[in-house]
Amino acid sequence: MPDRWSRPYDAGQLADRRTDIDFSIPLAALQRLAPQLAGGAGNAQGRASFARERGLAVVDLEVDASVPLTCQRCLAPMAWPVASRAHIAIVADVDTADRVAPEFETVLAPDGRITVGDLVEEELLLSLPIVAMHADSGNCRAIAGGETGEETQKPFAGLAALLQRGPRPDEE
Ligand SMILES: [Zn+2]
């Protein structure tokens, strides 16, 4: 049986049946998110609860995840916690989206079909920082390691020495 989170459903039917879908989605399976992940990733867990409100198909989406990102200061992996609660209206077109009450996020589904995986991925992408960094620079690998300036290898030092030993006319 395919995972329910990856299956396209008619949002209107889910809403009319007040369907709840519990999910545990491997982060690496989310194609837009995957390139941002640092190494082996865990799962996004939660529940999508569909209902009909003011004629719209809406979903209460709970997503919890620990997303492994690369710290842009020290390039070490770091975990970015996500605990998101979203109230989403699924709409067919932009005109409808414009008329939706402001407490809703909107997701466009022109044919009315959605996958829970897409909703979760969108929510995760909205929750990620523009630039990932350890909140406390003391946690950064490069800075914590510190004071390695003198020991830093100089890969071109050997090359410079080599060039200086090049042949000179007066050495014949
Ligand atoms: Zn860092």
Side-chain angles (χ1 to χ4, degrees):
M1 180 179 115
D3 287 310
R4 296 181 82 195
W5 62 263
S6 62
R7 205 188 298 172
Y9 285 105
D10 183 287
Q13 279 185 14
L14 294 179
D16 291 336
R17 294 173 185 167
R18 302 189 64 83
T19 306
D20 290 339
I21 296 179
D22 293 315
F23 55 82
S24 178
I25 305 173
L27 294 174
L30 300 173
Q31 292 187 355
R32 284 188 296 150
L33 181 67
Q36 300 189 40
L37 299 175
N43 292 346
Q45 305 193 348
R47 166 178 289 197
S49 305
F50 292 83
R52 183 72 71 177
E53 275 181 44
R54 297 177 222 178
L56 295 169
V58 303
V59 54
D60 278 315
L61 185 65
E62 300 180 7
V63 184
D64 290 290
S66 178
V67 182
L69 300 175
T70 301
C71 171
Q72 296 305 303
R73 187 159 43 203
C74 70
L75 300 182
M78 54 175 280
W80 184 264
V82 174
S84 155
R85 303 290 177 268
H87 201 47
I88 302 167
I90 295 156
V91 298
D93 52 61
V94 177
D95 284 348
T96 310
D98 286 344
R99 294 197 302 271
V100 168
E103 68 261 30
F104 290 99
E105 295 176 28
T106 54
V107 165
L108 281 180
D111 61 357
R113 297 176 82 76
I114 50 94
T115 74
V116 170
D118 285 343
L119 296 177
V120 169
E121 181 167 44
E122 188 66 31
E123 207 53 40
L124 287 173
L125 289 170
L126 288 172
S127 302
L128 296 187
I130 295 169
V131 178
M133 268 195 235
H134 287 110
D136 178 355
S137 64
N139 291 338
C140 280
R141 181 172 59 185
I143 293 170
E147 295 173 9
T148 55
E150 291 302 310
E151 296 157 36
T152 304
Q153 292 206 1
K154 294 173 184 158
F156 295 112
L159 180 62
L162 215 61
L163 290 171
Q164 281 169 12
R165 275 192 280 117
R168 296 179 191 178
D170 58 357
E171 274 183 352
E172 282 294 321

